[in-house]
Every structure is written in structure tokens, then in C-alpha cells.
């Protein structure tokens, strides 16, 4: 850089940055978090609720970026081979508990249970679920 002072009009060379020994008034903010890193949402894995599945809603409160669910862990309270399915639909599950035609199955296969309270990862052949920014997606596992 050869320009010694900043100008109001563009120049062919950048201006020099001022040099000071004093720290800035505010620290430079850290880089924005990498939204593409893996995150998890953990359940208690409490069993004995009398159910063979759960319906729940997930809302992407991030206003800009979509979130992709690529796998889920389930709590199979057995170490035997069991059938596992995952279903999804846009918006809430409420009011659609008994309307199978409104749901899309994204996973269904035999799995080997991990036992009570132990997570069993459903990842292979799992169709990713895209949570659009600001929207809710229902899941039935």
C-alpha cells in the first residue's frame, strides 16, 4: 500500500491502516458459529411409558438457515431384533395422530435393539429431514 490516508473516492491502491499501541474500545467479535457442525437434541430415554413410539414437533427457530436431521437414536427396551419406523410431516403432529395418509415414512427396517435406556442410532437408509428456517416439522418415531 502506498496511499497514506483514506479517501472518499476509490483509489487504485488501498490506504494504510492506522497503527496504534492502545487496544480497541471493543474486542473484535468472534467468527459466527459454524451452523454446519453436528449438533444433537437429547432425550431422557425414560422407558415404560406404555407406548411404542413418540410423536413430537421440531421447530427451526433460526431465521436464515435450514437444519438437516440425518439420523435419530431410539430407545428399544430389548436386545432382540425389532421393526423401527420414522415418519414425518410438515407442521405439527397435533390433530394428525390418526391420519396416516398425511405422514411420509422416511425410515423402516429391522434393527437390533440396544437394550433399555441405551440409544440405538437409526442412520443407515435414513432419508434426511430438512427443517426449513422458521418452520415446524412433525416426527413420529
Amino acid at each position: 500500500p502506498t496511499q497514506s490516508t483514506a479517501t472518499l473516492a476509490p483509489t487504485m491502491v488501498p490506504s494504510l491502516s492506522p497503527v496504534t499501541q492502545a487496544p480497541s474500545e471493543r474486542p473484535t467479535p468472534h467468527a459466527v458459529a459454524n451452523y454446519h457442525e453436528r449438533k444433537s437434541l437429547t432425550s431422557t430415554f425414560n422407558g415404560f411409558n406404555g407406548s411404542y413410539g413418540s410423536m413430537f414437533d421440531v421447530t427451526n427457530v433460526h431465521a436464515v438457515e435450514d437444519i438437516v436431521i440425518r439420523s435419530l437414536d431410539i430407545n428399544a427396551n430389548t436386545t432382540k431384533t425389532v421393526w423401527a419406523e420414522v415418519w414425518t410431516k410438515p407442521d405439527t403432529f397435533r390433530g394428525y395422530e390418526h391420519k396416516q395418509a398425511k405422514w411420509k415414512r422416511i425410515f423402516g427396517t429391522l434393527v437390533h435393539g440396544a437394550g433399555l435406556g441405551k440409544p440405538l442410532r437409526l442412520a443407515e437408509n435414513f432419508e434426511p429431514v430438512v427443517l426449513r428456517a422458521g418452520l415446524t416439522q412433525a416426527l413420529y418415531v
Side-chain angles (χ1 to χ4, degrees):
T2 58
Q3 188 74 27
S4 61
T5 58
T7 64
L8 295 177
T11 61
M12 296 301 293
V13 294
S15 56
L16 293 174
S17 297
V19 178
T20 178
Q21 298 300 321
S24 61
E25 290 181 26
R26 287 178 280 197
T28 304
H30 293 289
V32 176
N34 180 0
Y35 289 103
H36 302 288
E37 62 188 60
R38 291 181 181 211
K39 302 284 184 181
S40 64
L41 175 65
T42 305
S43 166
T44 62
F45 283 105
N46 287 339
F48 306 111
N49 63 6
S51 176
Y52 287 100
S54 295
M55 287 185 181
F56 56 95
D57 294 333
V58 181
T59 301
N60 180 355
V61 296
H62 195 278
V64 180
E65 297 216 18
D66 295 342
I67 296 172
V68 181
I69 299 174
R70 299 184 193 294
S71 67
L72 287 172
D73 291 354
I74 64 168
N75 182 13
N77 62 356
T78 182
T79 56
K80 296 180 180 178
T81 300
V82 295
W83 183 258
E85 291 184 349
V86 179
W87 296 72
T88 189
K89 67 170 286 308
D91 205 22
T92 184
F93 73 89
R94 290 178 178 82
Y96 295 91
E97 294 91 335
H98 303 287
K99 298 178 180 176
Q100 183 178 357
K102 298 294 183 179
W103 293 81
K104 177 184 178 186
R105 189 174 80 171
I106 59 167
F107 180 87
T109 193
L110 289 171
V111 296
H112 187 76
L116 182 61
K118 297 179 181 174
L120 171 64
R121 173 73 35 102
L122 305 179
E124 191 173 324
N125 300 321
F126 188 94
E127 183 179 327
V129 177
V130 178
L131 302 173
R132 299 288 178 211
L135 299 180
T136 297
Q137 188 77 17
L139 290 163
Y140 178 27
V141 182

